[in-house]
Amino acid sequence: MRARAGNMDFACLWLGLLLPLAAALDFRYHHQEDMEAFLKRVAQNYSSITHLHSIGKSVRGRNLWVLVVGQFPKEHRVGIPEFKYVANMHGDETVGRELLLHLIDYLVTSYGKDPDITKLMNSTRIHIMPSMNPDGFEAVKKPDCFYNSGRGNYNEYDLNRNFPDAFEHNNVSRQPETLAVMKWLKTETFVLSANLHGGALVASYPFDNGVQATGALLSRSLTPDDDVFQHLAHTYASRNPNMMKGDQCKNKMNFPNGITNGYAWYPLQGGMQDFNYIWAQCFEITLELSCCKYPREEKLPYFWNDNKASLIEYIKQVHLGIKGQVFDQSGNPLPNVIVEVQDRKHICPYRTNKFGEYYLLLLPGSYVINVTVPGHDPHLTKIVIPEKSQNFSAFKKDFIFPLRRQSDSVLVSNPSCPLVPLYRAMPSYSAATKPSLFLFLVPLLHMFFK
Ligand SMILES: *[C@@H]1O[C@H](CO)[C@@H](O)[C@H](O)[C@H]1NC(C)=O
Ligand SMILES: *[C@@H]1O[C@H](CO)[C@@H](O)[C@H](O)[C@H]1NC(C)=O
Ligand SMILES: *[C@@H]1O[C@H](CO)[C@@H](O)[C@H](O)[C@H]1NC(C)=O
Ligand SMILES: *[C@@H]1O[C@H](CO)[C@@H](O)[C@H](O)[C@H]1NC(C)=O
Ligand SMILES: *[C@@H]1O[C@H](CO)[C@@H](O)[C@H](O)[C@H]1NC(C)=O
Ligand SMILES: [Zn+2]
């Protein structure tokens, strides 16, 4: 007995030593090696709630790391929505990169201690990519607030102009970083996302490009989900004391409440947020987090203070609206079923994933949900989404169809949306829709922010 007790003491001592200590990440810039070391340490220390993987390589062969955080980090679970943050796609916009490392640190060290964070991580799978453009970050020679090398990737392509565009042909050579992200978006059913930039202070929401049908004649370009996007941008901006003021940068920009429609600010082609919304069924906004693109390290603690509440509250929005599964009469989940809200049709219809799941981000209210199995009549259901509770779950509603999965060949085909300028097919499209003012402003503004 005595010997066993002694062994147990010894075991406890060992366990104590092996238990993760508070990571205490420092406030300085982490270059690729440091960042990798940090991510690997976190993945080791918190192996049950994290999963580290690389989604591909940069031009120079640097890994594009993603750390997944959550109760089930290694794979999707039915009912748990996928969320992501991507930073540093412009290599010289560095605040987001460090904020995401601090966010990782905060999430893993709060799990099991802070009930709110624990619930969030239990109910959400959070993907964090601190740098989409590691080559650009390493290429910055003399950090400057405005003019840096390193905005583009190693081939000097602006990655936020490098995605397929739904509004016009953008004949660009697609870069490895872009292709890696496009592939990644196909592997997960992302529901909500933000990409983190610098050079201004504003939360900007889709579209970034547009045509007459989306409001371009009125110098803006709106999605059918504009109420949700305004809410999302507002959720972020209203918790950041400087962003919400709208005019804190010395460049005469003024954004009421710290939010703006992307096109209304300035149009751009081939952006990542429009691509996410149109082709990946994922609502994404663009966050400009600092007037200075590459501020001094001493400022980093202030940025963390200003953004911490926003970063957390924004993730919670993945639980807005309604979610569920579509089944056949025998209870098999049905993939590729179109599930949309009447009057907010997406140009590439949003479809159930291989688990028959759908997620629709919606504000509280009454909606008609249109569930359409290809080749069958639409099935319309009125639903009421109750006022938001801090429940960490969207309103749940499953649908059952009186058919058999195996007998329906339509479901086997892969109905991916074509990569063409889809909006050109819209009735009111006209090539001459852009306000000519922008033709002069765009080349100037182009260089600087999102
Ligand atoms: C991981 O654990 C080690 C040893 O317990 C500790 O020194 C280190 O700070 C931890 N690192 C992180 C990133 O959590
Ligand atoms: C989170 O999940 C863990 C593991 O399933 C469970 O033990 C814990 O009670 C949950 N915590 C909260 C706050 O939901
Ligand atoms: C696209 O650009 C490449 C070279 O950059 C050119 O060879 C090709 O003809 C272009 N294609 C179209 C359809 O404009
Ligand atoms: C329901 O959705 C299908 C597929 O997108 C569409 O063809 C149909 O017009 C929609 N029906 C209604 C009443 O909105
Ligand atoms: C919270 O969510 C659960 C399951 O998703 C549901 O059963 C419950 O009624 C919800 N509670 C509130 C207060 O909305
Ligand atoms: Zn940018």
Side-chain angles (χ1 to χ4, degrees), residues 338 340-343 345-346 349 368 370-372 376 378-380:
I338 298 172
E340 301 233 273
V341 175
Q342 208 176 11
D343 305 325
K345 283 174 87 162
H346 298 110
V368 175
N370 174 353
V371 182
T372 304
H376 294 78
H379 181 295
L380 303 179

Side-chain angles (χ1 to χ4, degrees), residues 323 386-387 389-396:
K323 69 178 178 187
E387 283 302 318
S389 56
Q390 283 298 351
N391 199 2
F392 298 94
S393 171
F395 184 72
K396 219 167 160 296

Side-chain angles (χ1 to χ4, degrees), residues 90 93 151 197-198 288 449-450:
H90 293 139
E93 296 166 9
R151 176 183 172 88
H197 291 249
E288 302 282 345
F449 318 104
K450 61 184 185 182

Side-chain angles (χ1 to χ4, degrees), residues 188-446:
E188 304 284 356
T189 317
F190 289 112
V191 177
L192 179 64
S193 168
N195 73 73
L196 280 52
H197 291 249
L201 214 44
V202 67
S204 169
Y205 55 88
F207 292 115
D208 268 333
N209 204 355
V211 289
Q212 186 176 341
T214 62
L217 281 182
L218 305 168
S219 303
R220 56 178 172 67
S221 179
L222 305 183
T223 69
D225 297 300
D226 195 57
D227 53 348
V228 180
F229 274 116
Q230 288 203 32
H231 166 83
L232 291 170
H234 195 256
T235 296
Y236 197 95
S238 64
R239 282 166 183 80
N240 179 316
N242 283 317
M243 188 183 287
M244 68 185 285
K245 288 181 194 147
D247 62 353
Q248 295 299 289
C249 297
K250 292 176 192 147
N251 49 16
K252 296 191 181 138
M253 285 187 285
N254 189 358
F255 303 104
N257 301 314
I259 73 174
T260 185
N261 169 246
Y263 186 97
W265 183 14
Y266 63 95
L268 64 85
Q269 286 183 18
M272 186 162 72
Q273 74 173 9
D274 289 5
F275 182 84
N276 266 267
Y277 175 71
I278 292 164
W279 276 295
Q281 308 195 173
C282 176
F283 285 40
E284 178 166 291
I285 69 172
T286 301
L287 299 168
E288 302 282 345
L289 298 177
S290 57
C291 303
C292 177
K293 290 185 174 185
Y294 201 143
R296 288 183 295 127
E297 289 183 324
E298 299 84 80
K299 301 271 167 103
L300 291 174
Y302 301 99
F303 285 111
W304 172 240
N305 262 347
D306 280 1
N307 287 283
K308 182 176 153 187
S310 297
L311 287 166
I312 298 293
E313 198 59 30
Y314 186 75
I315 301 174
K316 292 182 188 170
Q317 306 310 308
V318 76
H319 298 294
L320 280 177
I322 180 171
K323 69 178 178 187
Q325 280 173 290
V326 183
F327 298 102
D328 72 6
Q329 59 186 10
S330 333
N332 302 309
L334 294 172
N336 293 331
V337 177
I338 298 172
V339 183
E340 301 233 273
V341 175
Q342 208 176 11
D343 305 325
R344 21 183 106 203
K345 283 174 87 162
H346 298 110
I347 197 88
C348 296
Y350 281 26
R351 292 172 185 266
T352 54
N353 63 17
K354 64 178 173 184
F355 306 103
E357 282 178 287
Y358 73 93
Y359 295 85
L360 293 173
L361 295 181
L362 296 164
L363 301 181
S366 304
Y367 300 91
V368 175
I369 308 288
N370 174 353
V371 182
T372 304
V373 176
H376 294 78
D377 287 339
H379 181 295
L380 303 179
T381 311
K382 196 173 167 204
I383 56 122
V384 177
I385 296 175
E387 283 302 318
K388 192 176 88 185
S389 56
Q390 283 298 351
N391 199 2
F392 298 94
S393 171
F395 184 72
K396 219 167 160 296
K397 173 94 185 141
D398 292 341
F399 296 95
I400 296 170
F401 264 85
L403 60 86
R404 276 181 194 282
R405 176 178 172 170
Q406 269 71 25
S407 66
D408 201 316
S409 59
V410 184
L411 295 174
V412 183
S413 66
N414 179 17
S416 63
C417 222
L419 295 179
V420 296
L422 295 164
Y423 281 85
R424 196 168 281 180
M426 291 174 73
S428 45
Y429 176 82
S430 137
T433 49
K434 280 202 184 155
S436 54
L437 172 68
F438 285 123
L439 297 180
F440 296 101
L441 290 180
V442 169
L444 291 173
L445 285 166
H446 220 76

